[in-house]
């Protein structure tokens, strides 16, 4: 995650100059628009989260299955997506296109641990979005009596408390063009929302379809039950 | 063309349709059947949905990529996530319907006498669907499915004799690139076979039904209305689960990618496989697992002959013990999710067989006396 920091200002400026996103305080109290049965993706937060992912996380973590064109799902225009893709150099030296898969990271070895792919990380971890946020903000000094393994860092959210990834988020790691203060906690929340989208791009559509379908079948069930009662009464 | 030919034309051209209509309108059913009697119809609808969504998924599924292939379907294929949702939710709900139906047959002694053939077909359907469900779990390409498959293949290859030959034929040898492709074929064949078994089981149950006396009703419109209302309620539950709890009951490891370097302490199964996993947990190795499964299946198949009742209505003690068996099966499933004390695990396992081999003959004979 620490590598390729030079990409951060370039990409963040390129992405967030488009800046349709408006900041909303989701940290106090901590909440995500994707939470709950009516949840949907906060596109502004997901756009900011993509900037953080691309600037800070992408050097170590892959995002399998996603194409750059899929970023239209978080509210970017095709022109913006094309601009972002063009700024990314693939392994063969050519520029990415909107139809390119997200650039895989180079071979990274974090003290013997391979950084996990983040494409579906929210679906893969108990607690999902909240876990990602808690993990990214969970670094700190190890409690008394805890001996860390060489090359490991204390993280209160990680099972076992020891992780080979260092704390990579810091205040102002990127500059948000929408004026949102890029605190480490804000960056963590934005990345968590972006990874929620990457894990489940159809979240909002699924909930909308679900609500309509449930209403339809609830009404249909009521009509069918009434019809059944009437037919059975008439048949004696 | 004469007038008679004109009037009889459509029926003469579609004798099957005419026969079907006549069958639906025939007054040969007893009135007042409970809602639970619609379970086979609902299961048929779910199986049809599973077959249709399975065919759609098979067009895009790549066994060499497994989970990446499913992510491709969800992300890139139009309505791919809906097809996958149909298949995953359908599998879970199908097992709910099947387990409840089998429990109802046990509770009402729907396996006795002429219904024995139907009962055995229902048990065969359960076996086929459990195997298809496990194959689907492996085809998902998740961490749990991967290690469950590796364990099964490794243990099976250690078998010798005819059992080893069957295992070799089924898995095609050591795990490799072609393993999931092979299992995909079995998964599809078992799905189609399950539909056939359901039809046969329903036909056998219908044949065994005693001729009703008194007033009769036709399927249309009396039971058609009931089945339609039940289908609407099922669709409501289906939509709720698929759209608001898409990962319901799939097991914690189903979303994690398969990895030969990440070995889970215990495989996390989908909920419908957990009773079977609980039954086999006490016996290590493929031989032990196979023995436990064969013993459980044999107990279920032999049930019509273990029941010594003369055909009367089930008594209170029998019904209480059947409810206890239901709790026992739930406990076995729970033991596969969170480890229980060894003594309790053994008790749950032993109780399953005591129920069929000891309590059922004894209690039914006592109640018949």
């Amino acid at each position: 995650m620490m590598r390729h920091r030079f990409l951060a200002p370039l990409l963040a400026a390129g992405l967030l100059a488009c800046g349709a996103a408006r900041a909303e305080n989701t940290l106090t109290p901590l909440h995500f628009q994707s939470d709950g049965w009516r949840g949907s993706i906060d596109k502004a937060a997901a756009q900011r989260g993509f900037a953080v992912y691309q600037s800070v996380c992408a050097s170590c973590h892959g995002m399998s299955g996603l194409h750059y064109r899929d970023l239209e799902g978080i509210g970017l225009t095709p022109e913006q997506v094309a601009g972002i893709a063009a700024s990314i150099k693939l392994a063969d030296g050519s520029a990415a296109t909107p139809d390119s898969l997200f650039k895989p990271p180079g071979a990274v070895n974090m003290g013997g641990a391979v950084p996990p792919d983040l494409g579906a990380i929210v679906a893969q971890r108990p607690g999902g979005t909240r876990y990602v946020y808690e993990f990214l903000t969970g670094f700190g000094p190890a409690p008394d009596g805890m001996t860390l393994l060489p090359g490991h860092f204390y993280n209160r959210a990680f099972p076992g408390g020891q992780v080979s990834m260092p704390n990579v988020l810091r205040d102002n790691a990127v500059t948000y063009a929408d004026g949102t203060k890029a605190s480490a906690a804000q960056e963590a929340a934005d990345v968590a929302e972006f990874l929620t989208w990457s894990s489940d791009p159809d979240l909002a559509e699924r909930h909308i379809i679900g609500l309509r379908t449930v209403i339809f079948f609830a009404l249909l069930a009521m009509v069918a039950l009434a019809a059944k009662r009437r037919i059975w009464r008439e048949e004696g | 063309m004469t007038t008679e030919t004109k009037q009889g034309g459509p029926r003469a051209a579609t004798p099957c349709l005419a026969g079907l209509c006549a069958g639906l309108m025939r007054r040969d059913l007893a009135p007042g059947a409970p809602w639970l009697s619609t379970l086979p119809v609902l299961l048929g609808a779910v199986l049809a949905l599973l077959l249709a969504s399975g065919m759609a998924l098979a067009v895009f599924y790549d066994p060499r990529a497994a989970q990446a292939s499913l992510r491709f379907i969800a992300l890139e294929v139009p309505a791919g996530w809906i097809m996958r949702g149909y298949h995953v939710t359908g599998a879970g709900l199908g097992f709910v319907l099947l387990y409840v139906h089998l429990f109802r047959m046990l509770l009402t002694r729907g396996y006795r006498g002429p219904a024995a053939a139907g009962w055995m077909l229902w048990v065969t359907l359960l076996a086929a669907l459990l195997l298809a469900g496990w194959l689907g779990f492996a085809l998902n390409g998740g961490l749990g499915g991967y290690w469950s498959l590796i364990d099964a293949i490794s243990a099976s290859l250690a078998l010798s004799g005819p059992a080893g030959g069957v295992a070799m034929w089924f898995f095609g040898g050591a795990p490799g690139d072609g393993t999931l492709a092979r299992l995909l074929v079995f998964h599809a064949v078992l799905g189609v076979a399950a539909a056939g078994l359901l039809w046969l089981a329903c036909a056998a149950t219908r044949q065994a039904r005693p001729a009703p006396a008194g007033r009769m009703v036709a399927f249309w419109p009396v039971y058609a209305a009931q089945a339609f209302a039940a289908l609407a309620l099922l669709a409501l539950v289906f939509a709720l689960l698929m759209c608001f709890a898409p990962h319901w009951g799939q097991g914690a490891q189903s979303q994690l990618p398969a990895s030969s370097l990440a070995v889970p302490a215990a495989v996390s199964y989908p909920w419908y496989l957990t009773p079977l996993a609980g039954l086999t947990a006490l016996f290590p190795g493929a031989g032990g697992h196979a023995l436990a499964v064969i013993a459980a299946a044999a107990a279920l198949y032999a049930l019509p002959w273990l029941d010594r009742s003369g055909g009367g209505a089930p008594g209170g003690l029998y019904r209480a013990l059947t409810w206890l068996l239901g709790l026992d099966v739930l406990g076995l499933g729970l033991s596969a999710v969170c480890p229980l004390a060894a003594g309790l695990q053994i008790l749950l396992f032993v109780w399953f067989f005591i129920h069929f081999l000891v309590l059922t003959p004894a209690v039914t004979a006592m109640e018949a006396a």
Side-chain angles (χ1 to χ4, degrees):
Chain A
M1 257 193 172
M2 298 278 267
R3 296 180 190 174
H4 300 183
R5 282 274 174 93
F6 63 91
L7 277 175
L10 186 72
L11 208 86
L15 173 67
L16 296 177
C18 48
R22 296 302 307 161
E24 183 200 342
N25 182 8
T26 58
L27 300 177
T28 47
L30 179 67
H31 66 281
F32 296 95
Q33 190 175 307
S34 53
D35 286 345
W37 64 276
R38 288 173 62 193
S40 60
I41 299 297
D42 179 347
K43 292 185 177 178
Q47 288 179 22
R48 293 195 300 270
F50 170 67
V52 177
Y53 163 78
Q54 195 62 43
S55 305
V56 182
C57 315
S59 55
C60 296
H61 294 276
M63 186 68 79
S64 65
L66 280 183
H67 299 79
Y68 289 106
R69 65 168 183 266
D70 295 325
L71 290 171
E72 290 176 31
I74 56 172
L76 299 180
T77 65
E79 293 74 25
Q80 289 167 348
V81 171
I84 289 167
S87 71
I88 292 165
K89 198 169 268 190
L90 298 175
D92 62 1
S94 63
T97 69
D99 287 331
S100 303
L101 285 165
F102 269 48
K103 182 184 176 184
V108 180
N109 184 339
M110 286 279 185
V114 178
D117 188 276
L118 297 183
I121 196 83
V122 167
Q124 293 167 351
R125 297 290 185 271
T129 313
R130 229 158 253 271
Y131 168 77
V132 171
Y133 175 83
E134 298 290 346
F135 174 81
L136 290 173
T137 57
F139 290 92
D144 292 340
M146 183 177 193
T147 306
L148 293 173
L149 294 164
H152 281 63
F153 305 88
Y154 175 72
N155 187 301
R156 64 174 177 271
F158 192 75
Q162 300 195 42
V163 63
S164 45
M165 185 183 109
N167 183 10
V168 292
L169 293 184
R170 55 184 170 77
D171 291 345
N172 302 313
V174 295
T175 303
Y176 289 143
D178 64 358
T180 304
K181 189 175 183 309
S183 64
Q186 182 67 52
E187 291 166 8
D190 292 340
V191 168
E193 189 74 358
F194 172 67
L195 295 180
T196 302
W197 168 79
S198 74
S199 286
D200 194 357
D202 302 300
L203 176 81
E205 188 185 3
R206 180 159 52 77
H207 285 172
I208 291 169
I209 289 176
L211 192 60
R212 291 174 182 170
T213 312
V214 164
I215 291 170
F216 172 77
F217 280 119
L219 292 173
L220 184 67
M222 283 193 281
V223 172
L225 285 168
K228 182 256 175 190
R229 285 188 65 183
R230 182 174 175 177
I231 289 169
W232 279 46
R233 194 170 55 241
E234 286 173 358
E235 290 285 331
Chain B
M1 193 178 281
T2 64
T3 308
E4 290 83 356
T5 322
K6 272 184 185 173
Q7 285 173 345
R11 290 206 168 191
T14 55
C16 291
L17 192 62
L20 179 67
C21 289
L24 292 177
M25 307 283 276
R26 191 179 305 129
R27 287 180 172 269
D28 59 351
L29 298 171
W35 280 101
L36 286 177
S37 65
T38 60
L39 286 172
V41 175
L42 301 185
L43 186 56
V46 169
L47 269 181
L49 186 69
L50 282 171
L51 288 173
S53 58
M55 276 194 287
L57 290 173
V59 171
F60 301 99
Y61 178 77
D62 180 357
R64 291 163 302 180
Q67 198 174 53
S69 169
L70 291 174
R71 185 157 165 78
F72 169 82
I73 291 171
L75 292 177
E76 301 297 326
V77 175
W81 67 272
I82 295 179
M83 284 300 131
R84 195 159 175 230
Y86 283 158
H87 208 67
V88 171
T89 311
L93 266 185
F95 274 102
V96 171
L97 298 170
L98 183 57
Y99 282 137
V100 173
H101 183 69
L102 288 174
F103 182 71
R104 179 171 178 257
M105 289 184 84
L106 284 174
L107 207 57
T108 58
R109 279 192 186 138
Y111 50 79
R112 288 204 72 262
W119 165 256
M120 292 174 80
L121 283 164
W122 279 106
V123 174
T124 309
L125 175 62
L126 173 67
L129 283 180
L130 282 173
L131 184 53
W134 179 73
L135 290 174
F137 176 52
L139 289 167
N140 181 53
L143 187 66
Y146 173 81
W147 278 105
S148 177
L149 182 61
I150 294 291
D151 287 350
I153 294 179
S154 304
S156 301
L157 293 180
L159 295 173
S160 57
V166 170
M168 177 65 82
W169 169 77
F170 188 77
F171 291 116
D177 285 344
T179 304
L180 285 186
R182 189 182 185 87
L183 298 187
L184 177 62
V185 175
F186 285 120
H187 182 66
V189 167
L190 281 167
V192 175
L197 281 168
L198 177 64
W199 185 80
L200 285 174
C202 289
T205 306
R206 192 180 165 87
Q207 285 289 327
R209 198 176 293 151
R215 197 176 61 84
M216 307 278 197
V217 294
F219 182 82
W220 180 270
V222 177
Y223 287 117
Q226 188 185 40
F228 183 70
L231 278 169
L233 288 170
L234 178 74
L236 179 63
V237 175
F238 196 103
L240 276 170
L241 289 174
M242 184 181 132
C243 294
F244 299 107
H247 304 307
W248 161 75
Q250 285 183 50
Q253 297 154 355
S254 65
Q255 300 296 318
L256 292 169
S259 169
S260 56
L261 297 176
V263 187
V267 171
S268 168
Y269 288 95
W271 76 267
Y272 44 82
L273 294 177
T274 53
L276 194 63
L279 264 176
T280 58
L282 288 176
F283 295 87
H289 287 182
L291 196 66
V293 170
I294 290 169
L300 288 171
Y301 276 124
L303 183 59
W305 295 275
L306 293 171
D307 188 314
R308 304 294 179 86
S309 65
L317 182 58
Y318 174 85
R319 291 172 70 88
L321 287 172
T322 306
W323 278 104
L324 204 54
L325 175 73
L327 291 176
D328 181 67
V329 172
L330 284 178
L332 284 167
L334 191 66
S335 73
V337 178
C338 51
L340 303 176
L344 184 57
Q345 174 92 31
I346 293 170
L347 177 67
L348 291 169
F349 176 86
V350 171
W351 185 264
F352 182 86
F353 290 99
I354 284 181
H355 175 89
F356 288 108
L357 303 179
V358 179
L359 295 175
T360 297
V363 171
T364 50
M366 188 180 76
E367 288 182 348

